[in-house]
Amino acid sequence: MRPRLVFDPSLCTGCRICQLACSFRLHGGYNPATAPIGIEDRLEGLGAEATVCRQCARPYCLMVCPGKAVAAADGEVVVIDPDKCNGCGLCRDYCPWGGITIVERKAYKCDLCLGKPACVAECPTGALRLGEGS
Amino acid sequence: MWGYIGKLLVVDLTWRTSRVIPVPQDWIQGFVGGKGFGVRLLTDMIPAKADPLGPDNVLAILTGPLTGTAAPAMRGCVVTKSPLTGMFNDSYFGGEFSPELKYAGYDGVIVRGVSDKPVYVTILDGEVRIDDAGDLWGLDTYQTYKVLKAKLGKDVRVACIGPAGENRVKFACVDCDPHRQAGRGGSGAVMGSKNLKAFAVRGRGLVRVLDQVKLSEAIAQARQAMRPHPAITELNEMGTVGGVGMAMEFGFFPIRNFGGDGYASTAEVGPPAHAARLWLRNKACFGCPIACGRMAVSRRGRYRGTIGDIVEYETLGMVGANLLVKDLEVLHYLNWLIDGLGLDSITTGACLAYAAEAKEKGLIGQADFPVSFGDSASVISGVEMIARREGLGNILAEGVAEASRRIEGHDGAFAVHIQGLETPAWDARGSAGLLASYLTGDRGGCHMRGFPVSYELAGKWRGKPVGDPVERAGKAPIAVWEQNQVAALDTLVSCDFTRPAVPIPVYCRMLEAVTGTALSEEEFYEVGERILNASRIFNLREGWTQTTRARLPGRFREPLSFGTAKGNCYTDEDVRLLLRDYNETRGWDAEGRPTPETLARLGLA
């Protein structure tokens, strides 16, 4: 099983601090839409759902990538090699969880910040934590 | 350019054109952001004494240099000349519209002119359009979001007006997201007068900052200051309704048009009752760790199934206590209704309470306007009549001062407003410092433009002893200092609720890390002072005079009937002394006009 982000919707306030932290780390600037984690309202805002990589056992992103830019070693997070990514967007188009964004012709997904996720560290309510399993 | 985008979008609805102008360097240096840019552009772009609901008025939604970053917690600033007060008006919403505007490539959007038919403005991925809003006109705010998001994508951020704005109700708000409002002063009526239903915005750009490491450190400092702070903890756990116990104890709560003393117990209307009967999700604005909002649903009674945000302290005070409505499910419904129609709940409550009292006094008949204290159904129909300008609602839609003039022939004793703005759910008889702030606030009698109460209750201000809340002496300088601080923070455009916890030097550090502009604490306050001098100059240009506007409502001449401040009331002499001290502290003349020396010192000459 791979490590992954676990989300408790009942604790999420929709503040988007997770997305801000993520876009800041990945792109050096702020815009939640560029972060490969999203927070969507449910039930007219009474609830929320996170759209983020589930670290699938059989990652579709890896399966559809024409350039073999996606790697998934046993028990490790699924990662994209930016040098091999040509920004075609197939991984984004076929991720059922909305876990991939394309920014300036490169694909981005959650790599758990390689061990210490910024979103988990900055989430003010503990709605995000590090866990494992798809 | 760091933090700022450096561009303002100007939309002319008369000619259906848009163009981009650079943000002037001297605006950035002297005025920093939202509120400051607002006072500059209103002064420059609106001809003197223009009709607020005519084509010459300008409405702008502005951001600050930290908007869109993770700095806690930045909002959007709506500025216009108020149709309610005829004065400078700035009003703020949290939520997601203003950061999106920056991601879309603008520090602000400015609207001038008037469209000949209903339109909405879209700013989507770099493209600006003015589109026909015929199918949106008449919809409430909730329906407007649904239609626009179905058409443009669920990721667009929308600011819009409801039917009240379309009908130019002079206290119509601009609603965003939904559930966030730039509530006060009638900016929604200005949008309605321009036939402008909504803005929809989406952007993919990044807000970039100068020093990432320094900013991360400063944000961490701000958040650390907030977490253990009791004022923040209260907002976090109880939302703004946490204030109700204190307001009842000291005599701030507006009961029965500010004239009564019996409403409800805190057990009936305090935070635990809201939590048990309404609240589900703690809801935050963009980038805010506090989450003072509550997404709520009523589970029983006639309005079962109504989903909306928290009944705020102000709504509980002005629509609840002021009208003696205490059923929380009804108040939740009223809150939902008022937001959907696009009204300011503070002024709406004030107008309805005025009408209920006018009816008791025989000035209007039951047939004219059926609203009565404690009668929920009549309050609900009263709200709808105001929004649709039906019957006497058409007169109340002008605000309490004008309604009183039309009903009584003069500005009556129980029309509770200061400088034309209905005072909020903080009775000025509870605090002389608050009265000083109400008499001098640049958008009128408003608790969000300076709140000396906290220092009066603590008995201490900047290390010096302060007299108790009803003591008059020494209060005007606190109001000045508070107003300067708030104006400087409003120009960032920071939320008021981080203010008790985050020290000013930390805001300055965040500003410097983002933009490179280094301000000392003293210079930061001076930015606020400069803005308030500029907004006073604007108001004077529009015909404001101290004698005609900085006046006591008759109600505050009557003794307060409950709380620690019980028995307190004011005279013209109190007002004279407060204004004398205030003007001296500001370096303004006896009539409240900035002196040439003061203007020169602030670089405004």
Side-chain angles (χ1 to χ4, degrees), chain B residues 205-228:
Chain B
L206 292 173
V207 170
R208 295 187 184 277
V209 305
L210 177 64
D211 189 330
Q212 297 182 23
V213 175
K214 210 165 160 184
L215 178 62
S216 299
E217 285 166 4
I219 289 174
Q221 277 178 331
R223 290 181 186 159
Q224 274 157 21
M226 288 164 73
R227 201 150 298 176

Side-chain angles (χ1 to χ4, degrees), chain B residues 170-490:
Chain B
K170 289 192 175 165
F171 43 92
C173 68
V174 180
D175 197 277
C176 114
D177 269 350
H179 306 307
R180 294 291 174 272
Q181 293 83 28
R184 307 227 65 196
S187 42
V190 175
M191 276 180 69
S193 74
K194 296 186 177 305
N195 269 321
L196 175 59
K197 179 69 177 176
F199 298 89
V201 57
R202 177 177 59 217
R204 293 282 181 254
L206 292 173
V207 170
R208 295 187 184 277
V209 305
L210 177 64
D211 189 330
Q212 297 182 23
V213 175
K214 210 165 160 184
L215 178 62
S216 299
E217 285 166 4
I219 289 174
Q221 277 178 331
R223 290 181 186 159
Q224 274 157 21
M226 288 164 73
R227 201 150 298 176
H229 195 282
I232 304 292
T233 306
E234 181 183 304
L235 283 166
N236 193 286
E237 291 176 354
M238 299 186 259
T240 53
V241 238
V244 68
M246 174 272 220
M248 285 186 179
E249 180 188 344
F250 289 96
F252 290 113
F253 219 42
I255 298 171
R256 212 181 204 283
N257 198 27
F258 294 87
D261 61 3
Y263 168 51
S265 67
T266 47
E268 288 171 281
V269 299
H274 293 253
R277 287 158 65 176
L278 295 168
W279 297 347
L280 281 184
R281 180 191 187 193
N282 293 5
K283 186 73 177 81
C285 290
F286 186 94
C288 183
I290 304 179
C292 67
R294 294 288 182 276
M295 287 308 295
V297 60
S298 57
R299 283 88 94 171
R300 60 185 175 190
R302 188 163 171 196
Y303 305 106
R304 194 171 130 168
T306 305
I307 297 173
D309 206 337
I310 186 170
V311 177
E312 296 272 0
Y313 169 86
E314 286 298 327
T315 306
L316 180 67
M318 297 303 288
V319 182
N322 214 28
L323 286 153
L324 302 184
V325 174
K326 60 184 182 183
D327 183 319
L328 292 187
E329 280 78 12
V330 171
L331 285 168
H332 178 67
Y333 175 75
L334 273 163
N335 190 46
W336 176 88
L337 179 70
I338 286 169
D339 291 350
L341 293 168
L343 290 163
D344 168 21
S345 65
I346 297 179
T347 295
T348 302
C351 287
L352 291 171
Y354 170 81
E357 190 166 344
K359 203 176 74 180
E360 284 184 347
K361 290 183 156 59
L363 295 163
I364 56 177
Q366 171 73 14
D368 298 324
F369 200 72
V371 70
S372 303
F373 292 111
D375 177 356
S376 309
S378 76
V379 172
I380 290 167
S381 55
V383 168
E384 284 166 348
M385 285 174 75
I386 288 175
R388 305 196 192 284
R389 282 186 174 270
E390 287 165 10
L392 198 77
N394 189 34
I395 289 175
L396 295 172
E398 299 292 305
V400 92
E402 180 62 19
S404 165
R405 281 191 284 270
R406 294 205 196 161
I407 290 167
E408 299 175 67
H410 63 281
D411 198 342
F414 59 98
V416 187
H417 69 91
I418 293 184
Q419 304 188 68
L421 189 68
E422 295 74 9
T423 60
W426 295 96
D427 191 318
R429 287 169 297 183
S431 152
L434 204 53
L435 178 66
S437 201
Y438 286 176
L439 290 166
T440 55
D442 58 356
R443 74 169 182 185
C446 174
H447 65 301
M448 303 294 281
R449 295 295 171 275
F451 197 70
V453 176
S454 20
Y455 305 100
E456 295 174 306
L457 293 178
K460 207 168 62 180
W461 170 61
R462 303 177 77 200
K464 288 177 272 190
V466 173
D468 71 44
V470 299
E471 170 75 44
R472 277 68 158 160
K475 296 301 174 60
I478 307 180
V480 170
W481 185 84
E482 267 283 291
Q483 289 173 343
N484 290 348
Q485 185 189 88
V486 172
L489 292 171
D490 280 345

Side-chain angles (χ1 to χ4, degrees), chain A residues 12-13 15-16 30-31 45 122, chain B residues 96 103 205 207 223 281 284 287:
Chain A
C12 177
T13 67
C15 68
R16 304 201 187 278
Y30 291 105
N31 184 341
E122 295 201 29
Chain B
E96 315 210 23
Y103 304 142
V207 170
R223 290 181 186 159
R281 180 191 187 193

